[in-house]
Amino acid sequence: MSKLTLDRMLQSQGFGSRKWCRQLVEDGEVTVNGEPADDYRLALDPDHLVFTVFGEEWIYRQHVYIALNKPVDIECSRKPSHHPGVLTLLPEQFTWREVQPVGRLDHDTTGLLLMSDDGAFIHAQSSPRRHVPKVYVATTHDPVTDELLERLRRGVQLHDEPAPLAAQRCARVSEHELEIVLEQGKYHQVKRMLAAAGNHCSALRRIAIGGLMLDALGLAPGQWCYLVPEQLALLAPAAP
Ligand code: URA
């Protein structure tokens, strides 16, 4: 990877404008690979670069890939209106880096949410052609019946969709809970499908995307982690 000056490197990692990053260096707030750094023109090889700002350690990352266990009452929209936005759960550097959610969960839906500042990754993951299964557990108002599961598997017509939408799989988990797997990510899809099938979704949790399982990440609600390449590989669509 080509070299970066210290001020540009800090800016790329979300520490503010170039001017602000230069000031941080001049104020002695930055170390690089364990050494104090006082010259913002210092040329750095960003590979394996470890630095601190205000004593906090960071590793240089060209892009960040994040999994968050989204709690209730957090909005994924760019301009949240009724609840705090999802970026309030992440370090503020990620807002500067323009980290965004990959797709959206409703404010009252919990569970696995991917976030990144890599536009190509966001685009690829969000593409309807990609067919990455998303696994949800829905709590229902009325008991989960065989007929309900069958209707969801066969497909239900939503009023603004040209064709019925079907669950790739669905199964009863308990009297009032079902697991449903969808390949699409239409607006309020699970809730609308359950309503169209004659029940009501009272709570919804996303437990997996592709082979990436929320439980395996060990994140409490509101916690997040970086995803490593082996975990990103689990997001690939299943082989046909
Ligand atoms: N389906 C919904 O209805 N809501 C979500 O947040 C995700 C899928």
Side-chain angles (χ1 to χ4, degrees):
M1 196 177 284
S2 58
K3 290 198 169 190
L4 281 177
T5 53
L6 178 53
D7 57 345
R8 281 186 192 274
M9 187 283 290
L10 290 169
Q11 187 185 19
S12 75
Q13 301 301 287
F15 287 90
S17 65
R18 279 270 285 301
K19 191 168 164 210
W20 177 253
C21 292
R22 287 178 178 185
Q23 196 62 52
L24 285 175
V25 176
E26 286 180 345
D27 290 349
E29 301 296 357
V30 180
T31 70
V32 174
N33 294 330
E35 301 291 330
D38 57 8
D39 182 357
Y40 62 76
R41 285 160 299 208
L42 183 67
L44 298 165
D45 178 354
D47 269 352
H48 310 294
L49 179 66
V50 180
F51 62 98
T52 66
V53 179
F54 295 124
E56 190 177 351
E57 189 171 286
W58 296 84
I59 295 173
Y60 174 86
R61 294 170 199 270
Q62 187 178 9
H63 288 298
V64 291
Y65 304 93
I66 289 166
L68 169 74
N69 184 357
K70 181 190 167 299
V72 281
D73 291 345
I74 290 285
E75 289 185 26
C76 289
S77 57
R78 220 179 262 267
K79 291 193 179 149
S81 48
H82 298 294
H83 303 281
V86 77
L87 282 161
T88 61
L89 299 172
L90 305 178
E92 72 171 311
Q93 285 77 13
F94 293 166
T95 302
W96 278 91
R97 291 187 69 146
E98 299 186 13
V99 167
Q100 299 170 36
V102 180
R104 288 186 184 184
L105 292 177
D106 299 334
H107 78 87
D108 53 355
T109 300
T110 60
L112 182 57
L113 181 69
L114 304 178
M115 300 187 71
S116 181
D117 61 352
D118 179 349
F121 172 79
I122 296 173
H123 181 75
Q125 283 296 320
S126 319
S127 164
R129 284 193 292 273
R130 218 173 129 83
H131 302 298
V132 179
K134 319 242 176 14
V135 187
Y136 298 87
V137 173
T139 306
T140 58
H141 180 268
D142 298 318
V144 176
T145 60
D146 289 342
E147 190 198 339
L148 172 73
L149 296 174
E150 198 40 43
R151 290 191 71 181
L152 294 169
R153 285 186 202 114
R154 269 204 319 268
V156 288
Q157 184 64 52
L158 304 183
H159 83 272
D160 52 355
E161 290 298 326
L165 294 175
Q168 192 190 62
R169 278 185 290 120
C170 66
R172 184 187 291 106
V173 174
S174 66
E175 195 186 357
H176 284 269
E177 272 185 325
L178 62 85
E179 186 172 300
I180 179 165
V181 183
L182 300 180
E183 278 190 350
Q184 317 88 347
K186 309 270 182 190
Y187 181 66
H188 294 329
Q189 189 172 341
V190 175
K191 294 174 187 167
R192 288 158 71 219
M193 284 177 70
L194 278 169
N199 204 315
H200 172 77
C201 178
S202 50
L204 187 60
R205 184 159 46 100
R206 184 153 69 189
I207 60 166
I209 299 175
L212 184 69
M213 318 285 289
L214 180 61
D215 274 358
L217 298 171
L219 300 171
Q223 283 186 337
W224 63 274
C225 64
Y226 293 108
L227 293 173
V228 297
E230 299 75 54
Q231 291 167 323
L232 292 172
L234 297 172
L235 299 171

Short mmCIF file of all heavy atoms in Angstrom, two decimals, residues 104-109 136 182 186-192 201 204 206, ligand 1:
data_model
loop_
_atom_site.label_atom_id
_atom_site.label_comp_id
_atom_site.label_asym_id
_atom_site.label_seq_id
_atom_site.Cartn_x
_atom_site.Cartn_y
_atom_site.Cartn_z
N ARG A 104 -31.49 -1.81 6.50
CA ARG A 104 -32.05 -1.21 7.71
C ARG A 104 -32.83 -2.21 8.52
O ARG A 104 -33.42 -3.13 7.97
CB ARG A 104 -33.01 -0.08 7.33
CG ARG A 104 -32.27 1.10 6.81
CD ARG A 104 -33.22 2.24 6.59
NE ARG A 104 -32.48 3.36 6.00
CZ ARG A 104 -33.00 4.54 5.74
NH1 ARG A 104 -34.27 4.76 6.01
NH2 ARG A 104 -32.28 5.48 5.21
N LEU A 105 -32.83 -1.99 9.82
CA LEU A 105 -33.78 -2.68 10.69
C LEU A 105 -34.71 -1.60 11.25
O LEU A 105 -34.27 -0.46 11.50
CB LEU A 105 -33.06 -3.38 11.85
CG LEU A 105 -32.18 -4.58 11.47
CD1 LEU A 105 -31.48 -5.14 12.71
CD2 LEU A 105 -33.00 -5.68 10.80
N ASP A 106 -35.97 -1.95 11.47
CA ASP A 106 -36.91 -0.98 12.05
C ASP A 106 -36.43 -0.58 13.44
O ASP A 106 -35.70 -1.33 14.09
CB ASP A 106 -38.30 -1.61 12.18
CG ASP A 106 -38.86 -2.04 10.84
OD1 ASP A 106 -38.46 -1.43 9.82
OD2 ASP A 106 -39.66 -2.98 10.81
N HIS A 107 -36.95 0.55 13.93
CA HIS A 107 -36.46 1.04 15.24
C HIS A 107 -36.74 0.02 16.35
O HIS A 107 -35.99 -0.08 17.31
CB HIS A 107 -37.07 2.41 15.57
CG HIS A 107 -38.47 2.35 16.06
ND1 HIS A 107 -38.78 2.16 17.39
CD2 HIS A 107 -39.66 2.39 15.40
CE1 HIS A 107 -40.09 2.13 17.51
NE2 HIS A 107 -40.64 2.25 16.33
N ASP A 108 -37.82 -0.76 16.18
CA ASP A 108 -38.16 -1.72 17.24
C ASP A 108 -37.65 -3.13 16.93
O ASP A 108 -37.94 -4.08 17.68
CB ASP A 108 -39.67 -1.73 17.51
CG ASP A 108 -40.49 -1.96 16.25
OD1 ASP A 108 -39.89 -2.02 15.14
OD2 ASP A 108 -41.72 -2.09 16.35
N THR A 109 -36.93 -3.31 15.86
CA THR A 109 -36.32 -4.62 15.55
C THR A 109 -34.93 -4.66 16.17
O THR A 109 -34.19 -3.67 16.12
CB THR A 109 -36.21 -4.82 14.02
OG1 THR A 109 -37.52 -4.77 13.47
CG2 THR A 109 -35.59 -6.17 13.68
N TYR A 136 -34.66 -14.36 10.87
CA TYR A 136 -35.32 -13.57 11.92
C TYR A 136 -36.09 -14.51 12.85
O TYR A 136 -36.61 -15.55 12.42
CB TYR A 136 -36.36 -12.63 11.31
CG TYR A 136 -35.79 -11.61 10.35
CD1 TYR A 136 -35.62 -11.91 9.01
CD2 TYR A 136 -35.43 -10.34 10.81
CE1 TYR A 136 -35.10 -10.97 8.13
CE2 TYR A 136 -34.90 -9.39 9.92
CZ TYR A 136 -34.75 -9.72 8.59
OH TYR A 136 -34.23 -8.79 7.72
N LEU A 182 -35.58 -14.98 5.00
CA LEU A 182 -35.95 -14.22 3.79
C LEU A 182 -34.71 -13.94 2.96
O LEU A 182 -33.64 -13.71 3.51
CB LEU A 182 -36.56 -12.87 4.17
CG LEU A 182 -37.83 -12.88 5.01
CD1 LEU A 182 -38.27 -11.45 5.28
CD2 LEU A 182 -38.94 -13.64 4.30
N LYS A 186 -37.38 -6.29 1.82
CA LYS A 186 -38.36 -5.23 1.53
C LYS A 186 -38.76 -4.53 2.82
O LYS A 186 -38.68 -5.12 3.91
CB LYS A 186 -39.62 -5.84 0.90
CG LYS A 186 -39.34 -6.73 -0.26
CD LYS A 186 -39.34 -5.98 -1.53
CE LYS A 186 -39.10 -6.93 -2.69
NZ LYS A 186 -38.85 -6.24 -3.93
N TYR A 187 -39.28 -3.34 2.63
CA TYR A 187 -39.70 -2.49 3.76
C TYR A 187 -40.65 -3.24 4.70
O TYR A 187 -41.67 -3.76 4.25
CB TYR A 187 -40.37 -1.25 3.15
CG TYR A 187 -40.86 -0.23 4.12
CD1 TYR A 187 -39.97 0.49 4.91
CD2 TYR A 187 -42.22 0.02 4.25
CE1 TYR A 187 -40.43 1.45 5.80
CE2 TYR A 187 -42.69 0.98 5.13
CZ TYR A 187 -41.79 1.68 5.90
OH TYR A 187 -42.24 2.61 6.78
N HIS A 188 -40.33 -3.32 5.99
CA HIS A 188 -41.16 -3.99 7.01
C HIS A 188 -41.58 -5.40 6.56
O HIS A 188 -42.71 -5.83 6.84
CB HIS A 188 -42.45 -3.21 7.29
CG HIS A 188 -42.25 -1.87 7.94
ND1 HIS A 188 -41.21 -1.58 8.80
CD2 HIS A 188 -42.99 -0.74 7.88
CE1 HIS A 188 -41.32 -0.33 9.21
NE2 HIS A 188 -42.38 0.21 8.66
N GLN A 189 -40.71 -6.10 5.86
CA GLN A 189 -41.17 -7.32 5.17
C GLN A 189 -41.74 -8.38 6.10
O GLN A 189 -42.81 -8.94 5.83
CB GLN A 189 -40.04 -7.93 4.33
CG GLN A 189 -40.54 -9.06 3.45
CD GLN A 189 -39.51 -9.57 2.48
OE1 GLN A 189 -38.53 -8.88 2.21
NE2 GLN A 189 -39.72 -10.75 1.94
N VAL A 190 -41.04 -8.66 7.20
CA VAL A 190 -41.53 -9.74 8.07
C VAL A 190 -42.88 -9.33 8.67
O VAL A 190 -43.85 -10.11 8.67
CB VAL A 190 -40.52 -10.05 9.19
CG1 VAL A 190 -41.09 -11.08 10.16
CG2 VAL A 190 -39.20 -10.56 8.61
N LYS A 191 -42.93 -8.11 9.16
CA LYS A 191 -44.18 -7.66 9.81
C LYS A 191 -45.34 -7.67 8.82
O LYS A 191 -46.45 -8.11 9.15
CB LYS A 191 -44.00 -6.24 10.37
CG LYS A 191 -42.99 -6.18 11.51
CD LYS A 191 -42.74 -4.74 11.91
CE LYS A 191 -41.62 -4.67 12.93
NZ LYS A 191 -41.14 -3.31 13.13
N ARG A 192 -45.07 -7.20 7.60
CA ARG A 192 -46.15 -7.15 6.61
C ARG A 192 -46.54 -8.56 6.16
O ARG A 192 -47.72 -8.84 5.92
CB ARG A 192 -45.74 -6.29 5.41
CG ARG A 192 -45.72 -4.80 5.78
CD ARG A 192 -44.85 -4.00 4.84
NE ARG A 192 -45.42 -3.86 3.53
CZ ARG A 192 -44.72 -3.92 2.40
NH1 ARG A 192 -43.42 -4.14 2.43
NH2 ARG A 192 -45.31 -3.78 1.24
N CYS A 201 -46.99 -9.35 14.19
CA CYS A 201 -45.63 -9.47 14.74
C CYS A 201 -45.49 -8.48 15.89
O CYS A 201 -45.58 -7.28 15.68
CB CYS A 201 -44.63 -9.15 13.63
SG CYS A 201 -42.92 -9.20 14.17
N LEU A 204 -39.40 -8.49 16.89
CA LEU A 204 -38.63 -9.09 15.79
C LEU A 204 -37.14 -8.95 16.07
O LEU A 204 -36.67 -7.89 16.49
CB LEU A 204 -38.98 -8.36 14.49
CG LEU A 204 -38.41 -8.92 13.20
CD1 LEU A 204 -38.89 -10.35 12.96
CD2 LEU A 204 -38.82 -8.04 12.01
N ARG A 206 -33.22 -10.13 14.39
CA ARG A 206 -32.46 -10.79 13.32
C ARG A 206 -31.32 -11.55 13.98
O ARG A 206 -30.51 -10.97 14.69
CB ARG A 206 -31.94 -9.77 12.32
CG ARG A 206 -31.23 -10.47 11.16
CD ARG A 206 -31.27 -9.66 9.89
NE ARG A 206 -30.46 -8.48 9.98
CZ ARG A 206 -30.45 -7.50 9.07
NH1 ARG A 206 -31.25 -7.58 8.02
NH2 ARG A 206 -29.69 -6.45 9.21
N1 URA B 1 -38.71 -7.09 8.44
C1 URA B 1 -39.37 -6.17 9.20
O1 URA B 1 -40.59 -6.14 9.21
N2 URA B 1 -38.64 -5.30 9.92
C2 URA B 1 -37.30 -5.33 9.98
O2 URA B 1 -36.69 -4.51 10.69
C3 URA B 1 -36.62 -6.29 9.20
C4 URA B 1 -37.36 -7.15 8.43
#
